[in-house]
């Protein structure tokens, strides 16, 4: 019901303007800042595609003494290359970060430095692994993402495209949560459950929702399209579309659903 | 006063059903997912006991360029093996995670992937080091746990058994805090102090308490047995047993202590 | 306007009492705890100055597979040595942590183990790089600090001296934020913006302010000198000097500005 587009995306063209721009940024940065030249070469310029650069960077970050980077880089790249939807989502996420976050100065800045972006792409890989029956590997990736990027997204959670996880520290997204397209999620946000029972127990977030820092949204509730959740809010009930909810417990303060106090 | 059982525990038997089950899980996962086989072998299957597997995994995670993994693995294993109480607590914690967290699919998933579980076991080691006069080493471990697992527990804090730290990012537990048995603590929870003075300044949490995500409990107050603290609550006063406290500032909304608003 | 002292500081003398004391602490700790001796030697005792020890420790922590420690150690040390103000700030920060945090038992404990202190010093380096036109390098350091210490401070943010970041997990400080001198900031604190527009959009925090755990302060507002912000507060309006603000949304509960409810 939450409108995650599942229509087939057109094949990605050989001309990749974001990747072209990213490489130009890195060449310029390498000239201006020789201290970064070898780093930018190994992470971006040495690779033929955006997918390979992302896989290399992410695999190196998620690797550990017992979880080898070569293996992870290959796994991430193969998983991404099997799924055209993910390849589009990566680019829509980069564009969303660049457009919505005034602190994002370039495409390469997003790819290299934004742990929210990297955690999200790792989740996309883990979600595909989970969906194709490779649960134990998906859970191992979730765990490394939580350790390395401080973002804990269950691999079963469904997340749309054009997503901004800003700052991202402490984000938690539960197993049955769904996030639509073009959603912005600040740090310390929880999409959690309300008890120890299994089954559907996590929020469904509509398209275009903005969730402020530290907001806690609990239970299998629905946050409607275009809604805004204020920083620090605790939301335990549905939020109508295009409505703002603030406070602990959250009350509706604007939009169509304004009159009714939430309870 | 807070009822942490200090009665001597019976010697642990050679037959260790959790460890047996954990190894069976890993053998099955290795067959289904060859990409994890060498990882599961080195972290679980290569070891003779649960204690050795945990020490190896934890020591590798806490190691750094200047804090060698071999040294840490040995230190953790020796400390655990000296303290029968810890050896029981490890198993009660694993059982609590498995039982209370619907996202925990197996014992090995808990041991390998749950940073809250790993941070807690590292704390148990640090607490024993602290209690036996090895303060500087205990503080070094606390620091590495805070860096690697984002859980900052002072080594002097006393924590019971059967504990679930769910998601765990951002948990802070102060020096004079006490946590009873069978307590569940969500992420971003603070058991903190209210000022810069030393001495007893942190909360005492009774048995069976559930503390929701982002709750902040401050000062040398008492949260009674079986109480529930709502997500995002700020608690500055005692909470009676079997009572629910919610909001900022927290008020009592259920249970025996319901009538009185907290202030 | 926020009173960050920019007056030139006197040259730092060869006699460095904090560094002298720190080395004495480490020699004592090495004797009492041989397990730490080689760690304490390589991180503290092998170095000639506090600046070199800090640069070595920080560079090793921020290093990655693609961002070499040798390069980072040199960069950090050179940046610190070019800026006398930073060299004084390091010492005032250490003294503030030691004085204000009852859990800080020694100067070396602060340097070695406090991620809030280390993140702040890394920010001082990134801020100087940013201010001298080396933006891409500054942003790369910000990113590593966010990954390694879970503290996300934009390199353009201006921060005074004598600062305590206690526990520090999840702290976020935006691009146009300003923090005065002798400010204490607990974990999970956000100095954030209120929208996607650029320009001046983050809080200005006066001297001597105390910001409790989980407080979220949003927008280009002013928190006056000596104000206190309660744990979990959401602050969207100015807070007068020497006033306490608590709650979500925050209201004034003490000090000169007490009568007016914040809205």
């Amino acid at each position: 019901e939450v409108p995650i587009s599942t229509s087939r995306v057109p094949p990605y063209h050989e001309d990749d303007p974001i990747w072209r721009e990213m490489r130009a940024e890195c060449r310029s940065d390498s000239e201006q800042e020789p201290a970064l030249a070898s780093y930018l070469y190994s992470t971006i310029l040495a690779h033929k595609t955006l997918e390979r650069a992302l896989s290399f960077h992410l695999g190196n970050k998620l690797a550990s003494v017992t979880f080898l980077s070569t293996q992870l880089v290959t796994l991430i790249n193969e998983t991404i290359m099997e799924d055209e939807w993910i390849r589009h989502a990566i680019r829509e996420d980069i564009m969303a970060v660049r457009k919505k976050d005034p602190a994002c100065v370039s495409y390469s800045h997003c790819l290299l430095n934004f742990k929210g972006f990297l955690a999200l792409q790792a989740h996309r890989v883990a979600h595909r692994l989970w969906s194709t029956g490779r649960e134990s590997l998906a859970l191992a990736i979730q765990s490394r993402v939580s350790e390395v990027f401080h973002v804990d997204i269950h691999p079963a959670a469904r997340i749309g495209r054009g997503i901004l996880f800003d700052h991202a520290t402490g984000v938690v997204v539960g197993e049955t949560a769904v996030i639509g397209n073009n959603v912005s999620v600040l740090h310390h946000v929880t999409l959690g459950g309300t008890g120890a029972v299994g089954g559907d127990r996590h929020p469904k977030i509509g398209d275009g929702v903005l969730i402020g820092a530290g907001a806690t949204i609990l239970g299998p509730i629905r946050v409607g399209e275009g809604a805004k959740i204020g920083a620090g809010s605790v939301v335990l009930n549905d939020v109508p579309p295009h409505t703002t909810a603030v406070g602990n417990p959250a009350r509706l303060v604007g939009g169509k659903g304004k009159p009714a106090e939430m309870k």
Side-chain angles (χ1 to χ4, degrees), chain A:
Chain A
E1 305 200 25
V2 166
I4 293 188
S5 167
T6 53
S7 61
R8 199 166 172 291
V9 289
Y12 215 81
H13 300 298
E14 294 239 329
D15 178 36
D16 186 347
I18 290 177
W19 177 234
R20 207 183 336 114
E21 173 75 12
M22 205 178 268
R23 292 175 63 87
E25 292 164 2
C26 289
R27 281 190 295 264
S28 167
D29 279 354
S30 293
E31 279 176 31
Q32 283 180 37
E33 184 59 81
L36 284 175
S38 89
Y39 170 70
L40 294 173
Y41 179 78
S42 66
T43 50
I44 304 277
L45 295 169
H47 304 281
K48 287 199 173 171
T49 64
L50 175 54
E51 284 79 1
R52 285 189 174 274
L54 173 62
S55 303
F56 176 84
H57 194 49
L58 203 45
N60 275 301
K61 286 196 178 288
L62 298 181
S64 71
V65 174
T66 46
F67 216 159
L68 299 184
S69 65
T70 48
Q71 188 188 3
L72 272 167
V73 170
T74 302
L75 172 71
I76 294 168
N77 189 57
E78 286 177 359
T79 307
I80 291 174
M81 294 311 290
E82 286 164 14
D83 189 333
E84 205 163 51
W85 190 91
I86 294 181
R87 297 172 60 202
H88 281 261
I90 293 166
R91 288 164 176 86
E92 290 193 28
D93 295 336
I94 291 176
M95 286 189 289
V97 174
R98 182 76 196 278
K99 181 182 166 192
K100 293 179 183 173
D101 183 354
C104 181
V105 296
S106 68
Y107 293 131
S108 55
H109 182 33
C110 173
L111 181 80
L112 293 169
N113 294 332
F114 277 52
K115 68 186 185 188
F117 172 79
L118 294 169
L120 176 59
Q121 306 320 318
H123 166 72
R124 300 201 183 288
V125 170
H127 181 65
R128 182 174 170 84
L129 294 169
W130 179 271
S131 305
T132 55
R134 303 180 73 177
E135 288 92 350
S136 57
L137 191 53
L139 293 170
I141 289 175
Q142 174 195 9
S143 171
R144 284 300 293 159
V145 171
S146 177
E147 287 177 11
V148 173
F149 299 127
H150 335 110
V151 173
D152 192 358
I153 309 177
H154 194 285
R158 294 170 53 210
I159 302 184
R161 314 198 297 192
I163 304 297
L164 167 62
F165 280 147
D166 201 2
H167 305 296
T169 311
V171 166
V172 170
V173 178
E175 181 172 2
T176 62
V178 180
I179 298 176
N181 298 311
N182 304 313
V183 170
S184 296
V185 175
L186 272 282
H187 51 288
H188 301 161
V189 163
T190 297
L191 305 183
T194 47
V197 291
D200 185 6
R201 61 195 187 280
H202 298 106
K204 320 302 169 195
I205 308 298
D207 286 359
V209 168
L210 169 64
I211 308 179
T216 304
I217 307 177
L218 300 179
I221 64 174
R222 189 164 296 269
V223 176
E225 187 183 350
K228 290 183 180 162
I229 309 298
S233 303
V234 176
V235 181
L236 304 171
N237 293 85
D238 285 357
V239 177
H242 306 292
T243 304
T244 298
V246 301
N248 174 7
R251 57 204 160 78
L252 306 179
V253 295
K256 297 172 186 172
K258 182 177 177 181
E261 181 106 355
M262 297 182 70
K263 42 182 291 179

